Amino acid sequence: MQKLKDLYQTDQGVHCQFSSLANVVNYYNPNIKSSNLFFNGGYFKTHYRFEEGQGLSDIRLTNEFGKIYKKFFLKNQIKNQIIEYQENEDEFRNYIKNEVDSFRPVLVAVMTNYLNYSSSYQTGYTNKHFIVILDVTKNGYIISDCFVPTHPSSLFVGEIEKEVFWNAFSAFKKTIISLESEKISNLQATNNKKFHIESNNFEDEELSIFANDLRRLPELFSEKEIYEQIPSLCFKIQFDSIIPARKMLLKAFDEYPSGVGTVYKEKVQEFIYRWQNIVYILIKISRRLSQQSLNTLNESVLSLLEDEKRFFKSVMEEN
């Protein structure tokens, strides 16, 4: 007899929340792909937050990825709820068993430092992360993690022990995202020949400020703090904000029907490579501080932002 875990497909993700939701939506309706969600939402803009006097670890680089699926669901009148589970572990296991036996995957939030199936989660840093539960076993759960932050990104589908999961789940408010599965199943995909990108999602003012603050690192932080905290900042660039947004766009172009977007893919891939190179250079600089190297890095980021701005403007003009 087939089970949910046999039917559910884990597609390699580019961001844990967005990609996990895209996989769940695609499970309920194979006609709805991540590109349908992306081009309906289009939230690409990166926010940068830092105030004088804060530590380097307080720097915030975030995107509005969570708004992508919310806008898609709102447009299609699909209810989605964020539930903070209040019951004990035994009742939770009963709840999950009922859901997966009814062929409904369960999307949950966890804290990464409790997860033990990848060394990438044992770095000393912790982040909120999303995974999908596919089955209940005697000793734990079968989960789908479509975005493990390795180089390159990888995925994990397998068993996680009860205690490990419960600790990771409890560390972030025991959060579940519940979806209206029947309505998703009945949706019709809108495979238009053109796509819509909202112009205000490509503004780069905040990233320009970020680029200028990179040049000021020795002025703002001690050499010790730069050495210790730059890897965390690079993680945010690589896995949580700038690069995932461009990977989402690349994946959306790749999925879009009739070859729409094919001419853009090479350019987006170039931008991803250049951002990855900036991460690499930033790590090197943190090991051997040099104002000249930081000035060069600043110029590289500003040049990249200008190239992206021109590219996105041309895409919007054509569509």
Side-chain angles (χ1 to χ4, degrees):
M1 176 176 148
Q2 278 194 314
K3 303 186 76 173
L4 169 63
K5 65 179 181 179
D6 303 315
L7 302 173
Y8 186 88
Q9 180 175 336
T10 301
D11 188 30
Q12 176 65 62
V14 296
H15 181 267
C16 65
Q17 183 181 20
F18 172 80
S19 299
S20 294
L21 273 159
N23 279 337
V24 172
V25 170
N26 185 252
Y27 161 75
Y28 286 126
N29 189 331
N31 294 317
I32 308 294
K33 301 185 182 300
S34 61
S35 56
N36 297 105
L37 273 69
F38 185 87
F39 286 129
N40 272 278
Y43 288 93
F44 188 88
K45 186 178 176 181
T46 300
H47 297 289
Y48 170 63
R49 294 288 182 272
F50 174 72
E51 296 179 12
E52 297 279 348
Q54 290 184 321
L56 205 161
S57 62
D58 296 312
I59 286 179
R60 294 288 177 265
L61 282 170
T62 57
N63 286 76
E64 299 182 354
F65 297 146
K67 291 186 178 181
I68 296 177
Y69 75 88
K70 289 178 182 177
K71 184 172 182 179
F72 178 80
F73 291 150
L74 183 63
K75 178 179 178 180
N76 290 286
Q77 299 181 314
I78 295 170
K79 292 179 183 177
N80 66 101
Q81 290 181 292
I82 298 177
I83 302 168
E84 291 185 12
Y85 198 81
Q86 301 297 325
E87 309 301 334
N88 63 36
E89 185 175 3
D90 288 338
E91 290 177 351
F92 175 79
R93 282 176 66 79
N94 290 333
Y95 165 76
I96 295 297
K97 188 170 189 327
N98 179 65
E99 290 296 294
V100 298
D101 285 350
S102 300
F103 293 89
R104 292 191 293 265
V106 183
L107 180 61
V108 299
V110 294
M111 294 303 288
T112 55
N113 59 314
Y114 293 94
L115 303 177
N116 61 359
Y117 50 84
S118 172
S119 59
S120 63
Y121 295 136
Q122 307 298 315
T123 60
Y125 305 104
T126 187
N127 293 283
K128 181 175 72 171
H129 190 64
F130 288 86
I131 59 177
V132 179
I133 305 177
L134 304 177
D135 203 2
V136 177
T137 66
K138 180 181 177 181
N139 297 315
Y141 304 90
I142 302 296
I143 65 154
S144 162
D145 184 344
C146 68
F147 184 66
V148 180
T150 51
H151 298 282
S153 301
S154 56
L155 54 82
F156 173 82
V157 179
E159 186 173 26
I160 183 172
E161 299 91 337
K162 279 192 296 187
E163 184 178 357
V164 170
F165 171 81
W166 190 252
N167 288 337
F169 182 55
S170 301
F172 191 78
K173 304 177 183 178
K174 301 178 184 174
T175 301
I176 301 170
I177 297 181
S178 175
L179 306 178
E180 223 176 357
S181 57
E182 188 174 343
K183 278 196 173 181
I184 296 173
S185 299
N186 293 328
L187 275 180
Q188 296 295 316
T190 53
N191 293 333
N192 300 319
K193 289 187 177 180
K194 288 187 178 281
F195 46 81
H196 174 62
I197 299 177
E198 298 174 10
S199 59
N200 65 340
N201 288 313
F202 295 98
E203 296 167 359
D204 61 356
E205 287 84 355
E206 292 182 42
L207 282 181
S208 296
I209 296 170
F210 169 64
N212 290 326
D213 280 350
L214 287 176
R215 186 173 53 186
R216 299 172 57 220
L217 284 176
E219 170 192 336
L220 296 169
F221 312 108
S222 69
E223 189 170 333
K224 181 176 183 289
E225 187 175 7
I226 291 170
Y227 181 86
E228 291 176 348
Q229 296 298 328
I230 282 296
S232 177
L233 178 61
C234 289
F235 183 96
K236 293 170 187 175
I237 297 170
Q238 182 85 18
F239 297 114
D240 207 33
S241 58
I242 298 171
I243 291 177
R246 283 138 188 84
K247 286 186 174 180
M248 278 188 202
L249 183 60
L250 182 66
K251 187 175 178 64
F253 282 150
D254 195 46
E255 288 181 351
Y256 219 69
S258 304
V260 175
T262 302
V263 293
Y264 306 129
K265 288 182 351 187
E266 186 174 330
K267 198 67 180 174
V268 177
Q269 187 63 67
E270 177 197 322
F271 294 147
I272 292 169
Y273 173 80
R274 287 169 68 182
W275 278 112
Q276 288 172 331
N277 194 49
I278 284 164
V279 168
Y280 173 72
I281 293 170
L282 192 52
I283 289 286
K284 282 185 67 177
I285 291 173
S286 73
R287 274 31 184 176
R288 188 174 180 179
L289 272 177
S290 159
Q291 189 60 56
Q292 183 178 351
S293 297
L294 287 169
N295 292 342
T296 302
L297 180 64
N298 164 260
E299 293 168 4
S300 296
V301 175
L302 292 176
S303 174
L304 172 51
L305 291 173
E306 191 60 36
D307 289 346
E308 287 188 330
K309 189 174 183 178
R310 280 195 296 268
F311 169 72
F312 295 136
K313 186 174 184 292
S314 71
V315 171
M316 287 183 286
E317 285 175 350
E318 290 178 27
N319 292 279

